[in-house]
Amino acid sequence: MYEKSVAELARALDAGTVSAVELASEYLARIERFKGMNAFLDVRPEVTLAQARRADAMRAAGRATALTGVPVAHKDIFVTRDFASTAASRMLDGYMSPFDAAVVENMAAAGMVTLGKVNCDEFAMGSSNENSAYGRVANPWDGNAVPGGSSGGSAAAVAARLAPVATATDTGGSIREPAAFSGITGIKPTYGRASRWGMIAFASSLDQAGVMTQSAEDAALVFNAMLGFDPRDSTSVERAPEDYTRDLATPVAGLTIGVPREFFGKGLQPDVEAAVRAALAEYEKQGARLVDISLPNAELGIPVYYVIAPAECSSNLSRFDGVRYGHRAAHYDDLADMIKRSRAEGFGAEPKRRILIGTYVLSHGYYDAYYLKAQRVRRIIADEFQRAFRECDIIAGPVTTSVAFGFGEKAADPVSMYLSDLYTIPGSLAGLPGMSIPCGFGARNLPVGLQLTANYFEEAKLLGAAHRYQLATDWHRRMPAGIA
Amino acid sequence: MNVRADWEVVIGLETHAQLATASKIFSGSSTRFGAPPNAQACAVDLALPGVLPVLNAGAVECAVRFGLAVGATIAPRSVFARKNYFYPDLPKGYQISQYEIPVVQGGSLAIAVDGVEKVVRLTRAHLEEDAGKSLHEDYHGMSGIDLNRAGTPLLEIVTEPDMRSAAEAVAYARALHALVVWLGICDGNMQEGSFRCDANVSVRPRGQAAYGTRCEIKNLNSFRFLERAILHEVDRQIALIEDGGRVVQETRLYDPERDHTRSMRSKEDAMDYRYFPDPDLLPLEISAETVERIRASLPELPAAMRARFTAQYGLPAYDAATLTASRSLARYFEAALTAFGGDPKLVSNWMMGELLSRLNETERDAEAAAVTPDMLAGLLKRIADGTLSGKLAKEVFAILWDEGGSADAIIAARGLAQISDTGALEAIVDEVLAANPKSVEEFRAGKEKAMNALVGQAMKASRGKANPAQVNAILRRKLSG
């Protein structure tokens, strides 16, 4: 069953051809078999099987939802009661949360079964999953390539069919970039759609939970269970619940797709451009209209992002001081020294780098020049998207400049790593829903992603457009060799 | 104490009033005082990974009530910011406060020192959360952290540098304390830290326009400490300057045991708090309708009530001020007066005398007085109709306080009614005259003092129940006859 989509698994569970326990057992066996990929950080079969038994009991009692019994892996940024929650940091080694994240809670309430926690960049900071304190994750398509990051474990788990769906988080591209690199479907909703309660914060004004799946249809089904208003998160948006599958049957004929010319400039690799242009042609073939649009200041997204995100992270990560939980240095002179040493030992290089940048840009005398200016440019970028959406329904373009790069290729040069998120950061800064869907293969036969972005709260339209493409193509069904 | 006519003292106060909400400002934990350490600290207060703050609407309501009471502008949109610093009892590594845009802007408070009225301008009042406590004793060389107080809602009320003496600062602090308790937004308990002041103090040569360098004195949790600390700080600064030194801007801590201030940190090592808007909280928006709803729910304020007490009841200014020192006392006055229906000044006299001294003695609020307004009214009626002399009335009040009941029942049970019956009094006077021929003689010789002795004898003979005015009149009539 492991190659099946969420939709197919849901039907099989409903028909009784497979039980939640059988399904969980099959995935657990695969996770064990492919543990060399290092996608999972914490697996507890007894916990998973107990949840699966509860799911089967729900079904037997006639209380099953559309997703009861469907397994899911959670990014280790979401806190969980039954699995360790580390944010892939030594700082939280073995940390057990007394509560579940809202997203985890929502999925559990629907009867979904947790397979375990998946690897990521430390505190979701990175674009290659090389920043995990627990080791890198292999790209299932090429053991020497990165899976992308920060949700590298989520992407690899779904690509290798170790889970039919994985939660993920996106701050500047951490869902879309790994989805593109790993040849799967990844979507982040509008900022405020998913509760951030229980999501270990990196940059609060940007962090948003989403999912990695095989297809847009699967993502729509999971969104129905996962998203919704949560009074525990003040930035959660109060709106009536909606059916994210409602536009799956809507043809794209008549849809206007904006193609930002700035996303096809210098730096975009020809293999990626070719695959993306072919995907746009497919949309045209289905009756969509392509229009040239401009996002003139989108290129400022990276410097803006690398002011705002570190500023917020420098403050968000202050709670990790060794006083109440998490890593505490074994030797220290006094209270201040204990905090210093605990942080020096607990954090890896990338969080330290961002804490330093963030501390600097918020400092007295620099705040206006950096933080305030960055916020102003952020607003300009968001306004440009709004102007663009007056001319089109969906914006389409590449997710990344290239296919997945090799391990170590960019690790020594943080700025070139930061540029991996060139096309995804503007949408994150604006808080827009965005996704990546597989649209072909490029260099070294590695997957290429097509990025689709919709206006606020138009996830259903976005998923519909992605689904129509996936009905006509089979890129999303391709699987890496060696995972059978 | 120095009376240094050539120096002018300049004081501004920052007061932290703990708001009387049932739960914390950003979490659902209880704010009750005195629980075992960390019994009232939930995941949010502990800053566990993944938690988020949600603003308590009750705290906002308190801030708006305060703002309206001091005539301030209620900001339609204010912003919560993070004040970043590391301290073991600061769980998040930052305090959520309001920085650039506070919820209450401007306003003023009237004070009076020795009958001289003065208006102290307020700069702002903003909402913020309290930190926890570090406990350095009884932990075998380690420090204990108690986070029960972490997240308790505070309103920080900041004045302009408008006060010119320790007495003015204390008058302001007392007026502010009375107001926040009056409004029901703070329990005012200073021992428990519900109301604490920091004072910014500087001195300058009289006539100089520019302010001197100021020092901030922290940890002032009583009016007496506030006064002592300012007096000491002023002395210190003047002595320093007169000795050719200069004041360094710094934060100083008042030590009540040694009664002095000592340096905590200078401006040079002042922390950079790296304030920025808290991305976990939306800007606080308060609609005009909300402001009007809260305005309509405000009680009559002390200043207005004071004015009304003099205008409506003809009370002296001093009485009006005393009776409006707290809302419960003012409420007591109006209730007692309504039940009594007689002279307001009589009610005031009895409250300022017997009632207040008993309340102070027992450290009770007027609401908890053993003699209720109705009981006091019953007593006052018997004074007004001449049944009780002042002396007897005090006895009855004491019995009312200690044993309860009603004035009438006590008078009846103990035969305490004043003797105003002329026949009975004449008999007593005759006895006194017969028994004190010497005094009679002296009076007739023109010694007015002798009359007092005779009245005293008559009162004694009646065991205090004789109506003294009547006794006096009968004596004079008989002696002049």
Side-chain angles (χ1 to χ4, degrees), chain A residues 353-443:
Chain A
R353 186 177 295 126
R354 298 196 192 193
I355 288 169
L356 286 172
I357 296 170
T359 303
Y360 180 80
V361 301
L362 290 177
S363 296
H364 187 72
Y366 295 93
Y367 177 81
D368 290 7
Y370 290 105
Y371 188 79
L372 273 190
K373 186 168 277 183
Q375 288 291 17
R376 275 198 291 274
V377 178
R378 180 179 186 175
R379 204 157 304 127
I380 290 169
I381 292 172
D383 290 346
E384 284 178 3
F385 271 109
Q386 288 313 298
R387 267 197 297 281
F389 281 121
R390 283 205 287 271
E391 297 167 43
C392 62
D393 301 297
I394 298 274
I395 293 171
V399 180
T400 54
T401 53
S402 70
V403 295
F405 46 88
F407 285 118
E409 224 174 272
K410 297 187 177 182
D413 180 0
V415 174
S416 79
M417 183 75 88
Y418 295 171
L419 288 170
S420 311
D421 298 326
L422 181 65
Y423 304 139
T424 52
I425 278 177
S428 289
L429 289 170
L432 294 165
M435 66 191 299
S436 172
I437 54 174
C439 69
F441 292 86

Side-chain angles (χ1 to χ4, degrees), chain B residues 190-262:
Chain B
M190 295 177 83
Q191 282 88 47
E192 292 174 5
S194 296
F195 186 91
R196 45 191 203 264
C197 297
D198 299 339
N200 282 295
V201 178
S202 66
V203 298
R204 62 181 170 190
R206 204 166 284 282
Q208 177 183 305
Y211 292 127
T213 303
R214 70 172 188 273
C215 289
E216 184 181 11
I217 318 168
K218 289 199 174 284
N219 193 30
L220 305 171
N221 61 355
S222 83
F223 298 124
R224 198 171 69 83
F225 292 166
L226 173 64
E227 182 167 35
R228 301 292 315 157
I230 292 172
L231 291 174
H232 268 267
E233 182 57 19
V234 167
D235 274 354
R236 191 188 70 84
Q237 291 186 12
I238 292 174
L240 195 61
I241 298 168
E242 287 183 343
D243 288 350
R246 61 182 189 88
V247 176
V248 181
Q249 187 174 337
E250 61 184 354
T251 302
R252 300 181 68 85
L253 194 70
Y254 176 67
D255 181 344
E257 277 173 30
R258 296 192 188 156
D259 193 22
H260 72 182
T261 64
R262 65 169 185 271

